[in-house]
Amino acid sequence: MRFTLLAITFLIPAVAADLAVIGQIKSEAFEHSKVMEHLQFLSDRYGPRLTASPEFKEAADWALKRLQEYGLENGHLEKWGPFGRSWSLEKFSLEMTQPRYSSLAAWPLAWSANTNGPVNGEPVFAPIPSSTSIKKGEADLAKYIEKYQGKLRGKVVLVSETLNNIVQAESKPDLRRYTDAELADLAIAPPPTEKMKMDPSDLDIPEDLDARIRFFSSAPPSVMDEYRTKRNALALKRAKFFADEGALALLQDDARARDGLTFSEAAGSYEAKDPLAPPTFVVTSEHYNRLARLLAAKTKVEMQVNLKARMSDGDVDSYNVIAEIPGGNKKDEVVMVGAHFDSWHSGTGATDNGAGSAVMMEVVRILKALNLKMDRTIRIGLWGGEEEGLLGSKAYVKEHFADPKTMQLTAAHSKLSGYFNLDNGSGKIRGVYLQNNDAMRPLFEQWLEPFRDLGVTTITIRNTGGTDHLSFDAVGLPGFQFIQDPLDYSTVTHHSNMDVYDHAQAGDLMQAAAVIASVVYDAAMRSERLPRKPLPKPQ
């Protein structure tokens, strides 16, 4: 009994000290927040931040300067690449001029070729089947070429099937938060199942964003890398056909594009060795369907297309933004925080992922402003190239820690305690994905308990995919993404022209900054580095 009481006596000051620090972190995060100021600069002033674009570089220069002003050291833009061709949108329009004038709600896709001024042409409805399966896509493209070869010169080609009944009663709201029941379900481990054998040439990837993230969580990185390579090769073959045919422009619909929303990603290859795709636009469903109906009714339709983008002649490098708060007696060991800094180009990259970048900048600002003496070094990484396949974080991990293909480890691999990531919109943190690292559960339970009254309740053994913590996890380093409220991320803002500052929730981002700053402090002060899973085999 005496031993037990003595142990409890010694434990009480340690817990009180932690709670005292957490109280300071909360006060700084809630009463002196800079997170929305960070986000406004990243989105309103500099966004969009397409990888390797001048806008990305300007934003990175600003972020680095701001981190240095906060007192972070060893700050630099760490070059990686070559990435590919830079592409920066300057001007565009898509108009129907006959039978009536209409400015169409549309947005060009990145790495589209210029029109070299306004060009006029007639549209033709020539849809090409859409499939996530490479095998089916190759077969469909071969049939398409046989059918349309020699028929598309000078035409504006509508390449998507029409979507019927796009205006329907909504089955779920655009903006939502997790319910207690949903979080409880998320906390339950999925039932054991036999490991799936995935053929990169024949994947059926869900259209729904939430389902797609769950799919990516179960897919081995090597499978997704091979799939991405094959998909890009097929897209290049398709783009080459339309360019060789002399198509004026391509228009495509998107199942998500409605009510003025457009979702803009890439038209084709960004590599300078590959030809650009023809000028390609995604058109909101209502306007796309109108064009298709007019053509079906044999009405004469004329259009004018204009696209001007500034691009490099050859491959260029991109950058990661790196800076540190040096540690104390374990300064050679590192705790990292990060988020991807790049975005797509139709919005301003506010929720994907200016929000995550702004929060991580706020995390290190808070820790530095409080002058907390931490044992380990805190390092921030803001990544380029995430949208093209986690390229920036993969390059950083390969350079500093290990190559997942060989699993040859550097000396720094043993010195990284852990990595914490934020990249699912601007929703507040509700918990964390353990990424199948059971040994982390008691740590996160202790670290997150002081935030239970702020909605942080859920710790799940499950994986989540599609973002930069996977680059660290792939070489056996503890990497974690937090659970966030969905808000309108998957329904409205993800890769859309509505990914703008107005859709960010200030209170949620302030909460996220406080949670992560506290977790990082606890990780930095822990006597041992974070527990690891067994090293993965070479990919």
Side-chain angles (χ1 to χ4, degrees), residues 95-104 121-123 287 289-304:
E95 301 163 290
M96 180 174 71
T97 56
Q98 291 291 337
R100 294 287 182 270
Y101 176 81
S102 178
S103 177
L104 302 181
E122 295 183 357
H287 288 189
N289 283 355
R290 180 187 182 189
L291 292 172
R293 288 193 299 268
L294 286 168
L295 294 174
K298 308 300 183 185
T299 303
K300 183 177 176 58
V301 180
E302 294 183 1
M303 302 188 69
Q304 185 174 94

Side-chain angles (χ1 to χ4, degrees), residues 11 30 33 107 111 178 203 224 248 263 330 390 412 417 468:
L11 282 174
F30 300 158
S33 177
W107 211 274
W111 295 289
Y178 279 126
L203 294 183
M224 293 313 302
L248 198 65
F263 294 80
K330 296 180 181 178
L390 317 184
S417 183
D468 292 290

Side-chain angles (χ1 to χ4, degrees), residues 169-406:
E170 293 292 336
S171 59
K172 62 180 181 179
D174 276 347
L175 190 149
R176 69 185 185 91
R177 296 190 182 274
Y178 279 126
T179 65
D180 291 342
E182 287 174 322
L183 290 170
D185 182 65
L186 185 59
I188 298 172
T193 57
E194 185 178 355
K195 191 173 182 179
M196 292 188 298
K197 293 182 179 179
M198 293 185 171
D199 179 358
S201 296
D202 196 20
L203 294 183
D204 184 15
I205 300 176
E207 179 66 32
D208 177 76
L209 179 60
D210 294 333
R212 192 186 310 178
I213 290 173
R214 290 193 296 271
F215 175 88
F216 288 153
S217 302
S218 64
S222 57
V223 170
M224 293 313 302
D225 286 345
E226 185 176 348
Y227 172 76
R228 189 176 292 110
T229 299
K230 292 177 179 290
R231 183 192 64 186
N232 291 345
L234 179 59
L236 182 61
K237 188 184 297 185
R238 181 179 119 161
K240 185 177 185 304
F241 165 72
F242 286 114
D244 290 346
E245 286 297 295
L248 198 65
L250 308 181
L251 308 186
Q252 64 185 54
D253 197 355
D254 189 312
R256 303 166 295 170
R258 80 294 189 274
D259 303 335
L261 277 174
T262 57
F263 294 80
S264 304
E265 297 176 358
S269 175
Y270 50 78
E271 295 189 32
K273 66 180 177 60
D274 298 329
L276 289 163
T280 305
F281 295 76
V282 60
V283 185
T284 191
S285 290
E286 294 91 339
H287 288 189
Y288 187 92
N289 283 355
R290 180 187 182 189
L291 292 172
R293 288 193 299 268
L294 286 168
L295 294 174
K298 308 300 183 185
T299 303
K300 183 177 176 58
V301 180
E302 294 183 1
M303 302 188 69
Q304 185 174 94
V305 183
N306 188 21
L307 173 58
K308 182 181 180 182
R310 185 170 71 255
M311 59 195 81
S312 63
D313 293 329
D315 286 333
V316 299
D317 293 316
S318 191
Y319 303 88
N320 297 319
V321 183
I322 308 294
E324 294 180 339
I325 303 174
N329 59 14
K330 296 180 181 178
K331 63 182 179 181
D332 62 329
E333 297 184 16
V334 177
V335 176
M336 283 198 74
V337 298
H340 79 84
F341 198 69
D342 63 311
S343 76
W344 289 107
H345 56 288
S346 58
T348 58
T351 70
D352 188 23
N353 186 31
S357 295
V359 165
M360 292 312 190
M361 292 178 67
E362 178 71 352
V363 165
V364 294
R365 185 200 69 81
I366 291 168
L367 296 174
K368 190 64 180 175
L370 294 175
N371 197 28
L372 297 174
K373 304 302 182 183
M374 293 169 288
D375 291 340
R376 291 180 177 86
T377 293
I378 309 302
R379 183 180 300 159
I380 183 173
L382 303 177
W383 315 114
E386 189 270 355
E387 297 292 3
E388 291 75 37
L390 317 184
L391 300 182
S393 60
K394 282 181 177 179
Y396 185 86
V397 167
K398 181 179 178 180
E399 173 70 20
H400 293 274
F401 304 121
D403 183 347
K405 292 183 179 179
T406 64

